[in-house]
Amino acid sequence: MRIGVFDSGVGGLSVLKKIKEKVDFADIIYYGDSINSPYGSKSIEEIQELCLKIGEFLIDNQVNIIVIACNTATAAALDVLRERFTSVPIIGVVHPGATMAIKQSKNKKIGVLSTPLTAKSGVYKKVIKELNPKYEVFQKGCELLCPMIERGWESNEKNTELLKGYIDQLPKEIDTLILGCTHYPLIREEIEKLIDKKIVDPAEETAMYVLFELNRLALKTGVKKIRKDRVNIDYFVTGDIKKFKEVGERFLGEELLNVYQPLIG
Ligand code: DGL
């Protein structure tokens, strides 16, 4: 079996990491569209177009499931992708994140840090309210965080100041904070130093959804789940491969071996 995972860059590695911990019988193709990053400052139409191209790439590479490891792409293109690629299940990160936050929050007040597009789309509020209308959701769009993480968090001297500026704009009464951009788990420790709330990383629950779908697929099709000693991961990166490897290796704590430039981008 083969899992296709994509993001606008290194952020989706936070999802890949959790999938790797839970699924040991499928290889992974990771697509990081860093040349077009950040998605969060683009229009919905632009993001949909980029995501359709990536979807085609992953389907051509025979994946059995597509994971949109990007909140912005989930907000902008989940429905379009599901409509176009009907042969495989497609999983986004917002529903899993919303479900987890509802389980965590006691006072029913949830904050979300995300890209401007995700915040503007109101997707977390919509999904959480659909699951339980009693919850209040406060979203803050953080324009500069994703590009800073993509470039390497330490390379900006004002990083803590900027992060604090965003966090301070969330209402104090929230008891739970969703990391509503898959890049943010890469700086989770920095966030935890600045805010004392329950932190939800949607990647954890997303990996559970992936495991569930693959088990279902195996039952339905009779494909055998063969445990691997080492899951093979191929990385396709449209932008700067060196930078991707540097940031990715630091986060995953291992060498990224098979990193390629895809033919589209
Ligand atoms: N990791 C993406 C997300 O979860 C960042 C999108 C961007 O490139 O702005 O939203």
Side-chain angles (χ1 to χ4, degrees):
M1 285 207 204
R2 198 174 284 170
I3 307 170
V5 180
F6 80 88
D7 176 48
S8 65
V10 288
L13 295 180
S14 63
V15 181
L16 175 137
K17 188 176 185 179
K18 299 291 172 192
I19 293 175
K20 236 166 46 121
E21 284 169 13
K22 297 212 160 52
V23 183
D24 60 3
F25 54 86
D27 290 328
I28 301 177
I29 294 187
Y30 184 89
Y31 193 105
D33 194 10
S34 44
I35 204 157
N36 293 306
S37 167
Y39 279 8
S41 313
K42 291 192 159 39
S43 72
I44 290 189
E45 292 72 23
E46 280 174 298
I47 298 170
Q48 288 177 343
E49 203 178 306
L50 292 167
C51 291
L52 285 169
K53 269 199 210 158
I54 298 171
E56 258 159 43
F57 176 87
L58 294 173
I59 294 287
D60 285 349
N61 280 281
Q62 275 127 35
V63 298
N64 302 93
I65 185 167
I66 293 178
V67 183
I68 311 176
C70 173
N71 292 264
T72 311
T74 303
L78 176 65
D79 294 342
V80 174
L81 288 175
R82 282 189 173 151
E83 231 167 83
R84 174 73 66 89
F85 306 109
T86 49
S87 60
V88 296
I90 299 179
I91 292 179
V93 280
V94 173
H95 197 279
T99 311
M100 254 179 111
I102 285 179
K103 274 190 221 149
Q104 292 281 332
S105 174
K106 293 266 180 302
N107 73 358
K108 300 190 171 52
K109 295 189 199 312
I110 297 170
V112 187
L113 288 182
S114 71
T115 66
L117 189 140
T118 305
K120 218 163 76 201
S121 76
V123 68
Y124 269 102
K125 191 174 195 154
K126 189 171 156 278
V127 174
I128 288 172
K129 291 264 181 202
E130 269 166 20
L131 291 166
N132 188 330
K134 290 197 185 117
Y135 283 73
E136 276 183 86
V137 181
F138 306 90
Q139 296 202 214
K140 176 69 202 144
C142 315
E143 190 166 10
L144 300 172
L145 290 189
C146 171
M148 277 163 62
I149 295 165
E150 197 65 32
R151 275 198 299 271
W153 181 248
E154 289 78 19
S155 59
N156 189 318
E157 279 175 19
K158 295 215 165 19
N159 53 17
T160 309
E161 215 174 295
L162 270 159
L163 177 60
K164 188 171 179 322
Y166 289 128
I167 288 175
D168 286 350
Q169 290 177 59
L170 286 166
K172 297 282 168 284
E173 71 258 36
I174 59 162
D175 72 349
T176 302
L177 174 69
I178 300 178
L179 305 182
C181 169
T182 54
H183 281 69
Y184 302 168
L186 276 72
I187 55 159
R188 182 175 177 144
E189 280 177 23
E190 318 299 319
I191 295 172
E192 278 172 340
K193 275 183 214 155
L194 296 169
I195 187 167
D196 185 20
K197 311 281 178 194
K198 277 172 257 175
I199 304 280
V200 168
D201 173 3
E204 286 167 29
E205 190 71 7
T206 304
M208 291 305 293
Y209 280 37
V210 173
L211 181 62
F212 177 83
E213 281 298 335
L214 289 179
N215 281 335
R216 207 162 69 150
L217 210 67
L219 278 175
K220 202 169 103 186
T221 58
V223 174
K224 292 243 173 334
K225 295 191 306 179
I226 301 163
R227 212 192 142 270
K228 292 162 183 283
D229 288 333
R230 211 185 139 271
V231 163
N232 186 70
I233 309 177
D234 287 330
Y235 298 90
F236 292 90
V237 179
T238 57
D240 185 342
I241 287 190
K242 202 166 148 258
K243 184 82 328 202
F244 178 88
K245 269 177 71 96
E246 193 184 300
V247 178
E249 285 175 356
R250 196 171 325 132
F251 175 65
L252 291 177
E254 64 184 35
E255 198 185 343
L256 306 190
L257 294 170
N258 317 318
V259 188
Y260 314 98
Q261 200 100 51
L263 292 174
I264 61 163

